[in-house]
Amino acid sequence: MTVNQKKMLQTSRHFALTASRAIHWSKPRGFSSCSAVLNKRASSAPSPVLSSPGVGLRTRRMHPLSLLGTNAPPEPEEAVDNILYNTPPKSANTPTERHILTLLVANEAGVLSRISGVIAARGFNIESLVVCKTEVPALGRMTVVLRGKAAEIEQARRQLDDLVPVWAVLDYTNTPIVERELVLMKISAVPPETVHDPLGLGSDAASHAINPIMAAGFHRQTVVELARIFGAKVEDISHESLVLELTAKPEKVDSFLKLMKPYGVIEVVRSGCMAVPRSPIESYDDSNGELAEDASQAVDASQLPPG
């Protein structure tokens, strides 16, 4: 054995010893000893081919971690591709918003069908639709409430604006507005427990401790008191039902309907949303009747109480 071969064998055994020490500190349970395997490979390794007598090939010095099978760091392109592949796509469930569109249209036949056809072709469900005349006889006004994504609503608005009988399409979504809705509801004037037994002749005497007529009176009194708190008016009353009228925001109307549900809601008629933009209040200087210096900071009328 030549001197170079002896040096190469010593170098291989040195790295095998270093690797076995590293495995000893981080070897999991059941992991076979790596030093014996490396020593066996080093002893059975073929002798290097010599290009000339007394001169051996120079081998590349390997890091101890490379002997354990650890891969080298990936290239930048490979790392970027891996990150892009493992990045989840954007969620298609974009939050939907409630949009209020006001259309100024020509007061003629067939306009409503054309507008509703455009909205239906886009796949939108109309939550409410109010059509009425304006102070101009040849001009009509439509208030449409839709729910969808902002980009899709904007495309529908532009398509509606291109129709011939449509003069203008206004989006009041992010605008301070006065929004109101009229609702007429018929509420039962008889308590639910006395509907099927109006004379109180049931077998359970404890459930009829109060006279049915007195129970109906308490029931009507409670309904009228709740209507007064919400600002509703009693338009009609009879022995069987009450008709209430409420004009408020749609959210308040929904809350009032939920509150009236245990008392027996017989029928509900809602007009739909009607909206008109608020006017900003500018501050004036009382001394000379001109705009004050801080007129740019106009008072938002939407923050003021109604009335």
Side-chain angles (χ1 to χ4, degrees):
M1 183 179 293
T2 61
V3 177
N4 293 332
Q5 291 178 353
K6 291 182 179 180
K7 289 183 179 181
M8 290 177 60
L9 183 60
Q10 292 177 358
T11 304
S12 301
R13 291 179 179 177
H14 173 72
F15 283 123
L17 181 60
T18 305
S20 62
R21 291 177 179 178
I23 295 174
H24 176 72
W25 292 104
S26 59
K27 180 176 65 175
R29 183 176 297 178
F31 190 83
S32 60
S33 177
C34 186
S35 59
V37 176
L38 295 176
N39 290 332
K40 183 178 180 181
R41 290 182 178 179
S43 60
S44 61
S47 300
V49 180
L50 302 180
S51 58
S52 60
V55 180
L57 294 177
R58 187 175 182 181
T59 59
R60 182 173 63 90
R61 184 174 182 178
M62 301 178 65
H63 195 271
L65 292 179
S66 62
L67 298 175
L68 300 177
T70 304
N71 296 329
E75 297 294 332
E77 295 181 358
E78 183 180 357
V80 172
D81 292 340
N82 188 23
I83 294 174
L84 294 178
Y85 180 78
N86 294 316
T87 301
K90 287 186 177 182
S91 176
N93 299 326
T94 306
T96 59
E97 299 179 357
R98 181 173 177 267
H99 294 260
I100 302 176
L101 302 180
T102 296
L103 292 81
L104 301 177
V105 300
N107 190 10
E108 59 186 27
V111 178
L112 179 59
S113 61
R114 296 183 62 179
I115 292 176
S116 60
V118 171
I119 296 176
R122 288 281 180 175
F124 294 112
N125 182 29
I126 300 177
E127 292 190 359
S128 69
L129 174 62
V130 179
V131 184
C132 61
K133 297 188 296 184
T134 62
E135 68 280 1
V136 181
L139 190 64
R141 188 184 186 96
M142 293 184 181
T143 303
V144 186
V145 178
L146 304 174
R147 188 174 295 276
K149 302 176 183 179
E152 297 176 356
I153 295 292
E154 179 63 21
Q155 293 178 0
R157 188 195 68 81
R158 293 180 179 179
Q159 189 172 357
L160 291 173
D161 201 7
D162 293 338
L163 296 178
V164 175
V166 177
W167 289 90
V169 180
L170 307 175
D171 191 355
Y172 289 159
T173 304
N174 297 322
T175 304
I177 59 174
V178 178
E179 183 181 359
R180 293 294 181 268
E181 183 176 357
L182 174 66
V183 59
L184 296 175
M185 62 183 70
K186 184 182 289 186
I187 309 298
S188 176
V190 182
E193 60 271 10
T194 61
V195 172
H196 302 288
D197 191 10
L199 299 180
L201 301 178
S203 58
D204 190 1
S207 62
H208 303 290
I210 303 178
N211 189 296
I213 299 178
M214 296 180 61
F218 292 148
H219 179 82
R220 286 192 294 268
Q221 184 179 359
T222 304
V223 172
V224 171
E225 182 64 21
L226 291 175
R228 185 190 64 82
I229 293 174
F230 271 80
K233 297 186 297 182
V234 180
E235 295 295 340
D236 184 51
I237 187 170
S238 64
H239 294 289
E240 292 82 13
S241 63
L242 296 88
V243 177
L244 305 179
E245 175 189 345
L246 175 63
T247 302
K249 294 182 178 181
E251 294 81 5
K252 189 174 181 180
V253 172
D254 294 338
S255 301
F256 187 56
L257 288 175
K258 292 179 181 178
L259 186 63
M260 288 288 108
K261 190 174 181 180
Y263 297 94
V265 178
I266 300 176
E267 189 176 358
V268 176
V269 180
R270 302 178 68 165
S271 65
C273 172
M274 296 172 286
V276 63
R278 293 181 181 267
S279 300
I281 301 176
E282 298 178 348
S283 58
Y284 287 84
D285 189 359
D286 297 335
S287 59
N288 52 12
E290 298 179 355
L291 289 175
E293 296 180 357
D294 57 346
S296 59
Q297 300 178 355
V299 179
D300 188 2
S302 62
Q303 303 299 327
L304 299 179

